[in-house]
Amino acid sequence: MINWVLRGAVLLWAVFFLMIGARGVLDPASYTDTFGFTISGVAINTLRADLSSFFLVSAGAAALGALVPGWMRALLVPAALYGTALTGRLIGVAMGDPTNFGIVQGMIIEALSVLLMVGSWWVLSRPAPVTDGVPTETP
């Protein structure tokens, strides 16, 4: 039962970040409201490509890890992406970068994302317990 709950949580997470990534591809200016920065000129193309790919790749890998048996290691891709982002933010805070509620909120989301992905990978990749020669739950 816990496997299905984790798969569902990961899929909801993936849908949420897929929507953010798709919205950024179609309207990169939407990132300025969401993340609190402004861009102009040709930088919008970089924002469309780079930031959107971060969300789309992480969402795709999470969905793949949740839906395809034997591909649970794909959950480590978004864990690595969000863990790297969190590490960068922590380094920035330690070096004196300005912070606000949005930065703290981003750090919380990144930390929870890493915990969800690593925890789901850990639980889903464990072999199913065997009772009377029959697995009690399939991973």
Side-chain angles (χ1 to χ4, degrees), residues 41-69:
V42 296
I44 199 148
N45 187 271
T46 300
L47 182 67
R48 179 190 314 266
D50 295 347
L51 196 53
S52 295
S53 66
F54 178 90
F55 293 116
L56 293 172
V57 167
S58 63
L64 186 66
L67 292 174
V68 180

Side-chain angles (χ1 to χ4, degrees), residues 24-116:
V25 167
L26 300 174
D27 180 23
S30 69
Y31 286 144
T32 62
D33 297 332
T34 305
F35 299 107
F37 57 82
T38 58
I39 55 169
S40 62
V42 296
I44 199 148
N45 187 271
T46 300
L47 182 67
R48 179 190 314 266
D50 295 347
L51 196 53
S52 295
S53 66
F54 178 90
F55 293 116
L56 293 172
V57 167
S58 63
L64 186 66
L67 292 174
V68 180
W71 279 71
M72 277 74 70
R73 280 190 226 149
L75 296 171
L76 298 177
V77 172
L81 287 168
Y82 283 83
T84 303
L86 178 61
T87 302
R89 287 188 197 264
L90 291 171
I91 290 170
V93 168
M95 294 179 74
D97 289 356
T99 59
N100 61 14
F101 176 73
I103 300 297
V104 173
Q105 180 182 9
M107 293 169 75
I108 292 168
I109 291 169
E110 290 157 357
L112 291 175
S113 294
V114 170
L115 288 174
L116 175 64

